[in-house]
């Protein structure tokens, strides 16, 4: 079963897992009913929370739950540490990802045979696929590289769609933890301007502008002081192809500066 779609999901704060007031929670809970009814053979997640020098895949038979809640006021509520989301690993998919990336000209792709799922993967997936019965593989980002590097990784991975693999980038469309505001505060103009620029650029198909967002977008360093939460977008975008159509499937905010804007990319038939 070939899949035509890839997605970029904004997962925001880890408390999404336990806070029923977060608007994006209903979006993720409605995933199979309202957003994406196809059942993939396996899932590849490119998460902001796995940064490595070289592209790396996790090669495991069963995914553990990683509680990597850094950058947020500690201690976080204990229930967060009691959640278990342990879907099967996807070692064959991991090998296929490595094969495709190497064939594209990337010189080194590493394998991590212990790592499970970080919260950028398991928090949205626990709502999207609560049965935890679909094999999941993770692929890391390289925050010292640029958007084009990650877009090209996505292009190399496009054949996975033909094999029924759902490719998900997980980050946040605007992600500035240092400028968080009390919940309910108005969204600052710089954050809105970047979020709106991104929406327009994607829907208009200006993917090269998004690849070079540092010079094309308003307030890029405020929206993303570090690019880890943005680069998963480039992978999802590249995996759908330069002629794909982007669609905003969800938009909401928390903490004033965390955008949950999420996008679907649909490849041409």
């Amino acid at each position: 079963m070939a899949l035509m779609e890839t997605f970029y999901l904004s997962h925001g704060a880890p408390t999404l897992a336990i806070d029923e007031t977060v608007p994006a929670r209903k979006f993720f809970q409605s995933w199979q009913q309202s957003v994406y009814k196809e059942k993939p053979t396996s899932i590849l997640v490119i998460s902001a929370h796995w940064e490595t020098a070289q592209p790396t895949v996790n090669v495991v038979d069963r995914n553990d739950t990683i509680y990597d809640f850094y950058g947020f006021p500690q201690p976080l509520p204990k229930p967060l540490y009691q959640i278990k989301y342990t879907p099967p690993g996807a070692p064959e998919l991991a090998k296929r990802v490595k094969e495709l990336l190497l064939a594209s000209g990337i010189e080194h792709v590493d394998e991590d045979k212990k790592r499970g799922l970080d919260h950028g993967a398991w928090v949205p997936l626990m709502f999207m696929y609560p049965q935890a019965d679909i094999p999941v593989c993770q692929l890391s980002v390289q925050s010292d590289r640029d958007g084009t590097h990650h877009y090209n990784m996505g292009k190399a991975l496009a054949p996975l769609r033909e094999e029924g693999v759902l490719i998900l980038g997980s980050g946040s469309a605007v992600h500035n933890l240092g400028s968080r505001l009390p919940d309910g505060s108005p969204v600052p103009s710089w954050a809105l301007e970047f979020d709106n620029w991104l929406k327009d650029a994607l829907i208009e198909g200006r993917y090269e502008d998004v690849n070079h967002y540092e010079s094309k977008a308003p307030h890029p360093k405020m929206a993303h002081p570090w690019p880890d939460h943005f680069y998963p977008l480039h992978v999802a975008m590249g995996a759908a192809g330069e002629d794909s159509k982007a669609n905003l499937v969800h938009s909401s905010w928390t903490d004033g500066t965390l955008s949950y804007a999420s996008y679907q990319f649909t490849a041409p038939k």
Side-chain angles (χ1 to χ4, degrees):
M1 178 189 66
L3 302 181
M4 305 305 294
E5 300 84 9
T6 68
F7 291 86
Y8 172 67
L9 306 174
S10 289
H11 63 255
T15 47
L16 168 68
I18 58 172
D19 187 348
E20 295 183 4
T21 68
V22 175
R25 186 179 168 111
K26 287 186 171 60
F27 162 68
F28 290 118
Q29 288 173 327
S30 70
W31 181 261
Q32 293 185 60
Q33 293 73 35
S34 304
V35 183
Y36 197 65
K37 297 180 180 180
E38 303 283 357
K39 185 170 183 179
T41 58
S42 54
I43 299 170
L44 176 64
V45 180
I46 303 90
S47 169
H49 294 281
W50 192 14
E51 300 175 84
T52 60
Q54 306 290 345
T56 307
V57 287
N58 75 323
V59 186
V60 297
D61 292 323
R62 177 69 59 177
N63 283 293
D64 293 329
T65 309
I66 302 174
Y67 305 102
D68 56 331
F69 308 134
Y70 313 120
F72 289 88
Q74 302 292 330
L76 288 172
K78 285 184 180 179
L80 264 180
Y81 297 90
Q82 296 166 350
I83 296 171
K84 299 286 186 186
Y85 188 81
T86 58
E92 292 304 314
L93 172 57
K95 302 284 188 182
R96 182 79 173 114
V97 169
K98 181 175 181 177
E99 174 186 90
L100 289 169
L101 292 178
L102 290 173
S104 75
I106 291 176
E107 292 185 4
H108 300 286
V109 179
D110 293 332
E111 298 180 14
D112 188 321
K113 298 185 178 180
K114 294 183 178 179
R115 185 183 176 89
L117 301 182
D118 59 58
H119 82 268
W122 66 259
V123 169
L125 287 177
M126 66 178 276
F127 296 116
M128 296 161 63
Y129 298 103
Q131 302 86 354
D133 58 352
I134 300 175
V136 180
C137 172
Q138 273 202 231
L139 170 65
S140 65
V141 296
Q142 291 72 64
S143 293
D144 61 339
R145 304 294 299 273
D146 60 11
T148 298
H149 163 79
H150 291 85
Y151 181 75
N152 288 337
M153 281 209 303
K155 286 174 65 176
L157 298 173
L160 296 176
R161 293 188 293 97
E162 298 294 325
E163 300 163 23
V165 178
L166 179 58
I167 299 173
L168 302 175
S170 180
S172 282
V174 176
H175 187 262
N176 188 327
L177 296 183
S179 297
R180 291 199 312 276
L181 300 170
D183 222 7
S185 299
V187 178
S189 60
W190 60 263
L192 280 174
E193 287 170 21
F194 183 92
D195 204 54
N196 288 332
W197 173 86
L198 178 62
K199 178 180 68 174
D200 293 342
L202 290 175
I203 290 174
E204 293 167 12
R206 293 187 282 114
Y207 295 169
E208 276 304 298
D209 284 358
V210 179
N211 284 342
H212 300 282
Y213 76 98
E214 303 98 322
S215 60
K216 299 289 187 178
H219 319 292
K221 278 294 186 181
M222 282 295 290
H224 291 280
W226 190 244
D228 55 347
H229 278 69
F230 205 44
Y231 286 161
L233 165 69
H234 296 85
V235 182
M237 191 168 69
E242 61 185 20
D243 295 323
S244 64
K245 297 296 183 185
N247 181 41
L248 179 69
V249 291
H250 177 76
S251 179
S252 62
W253 294 83
T254 62
D255 301 283
T257 60
L258 293 181
S259 168
Y260 287 80
S262 297
Y263 292 89
Q264 174 180 302
F265 298 93
T266 304
K269 294 182 179 179

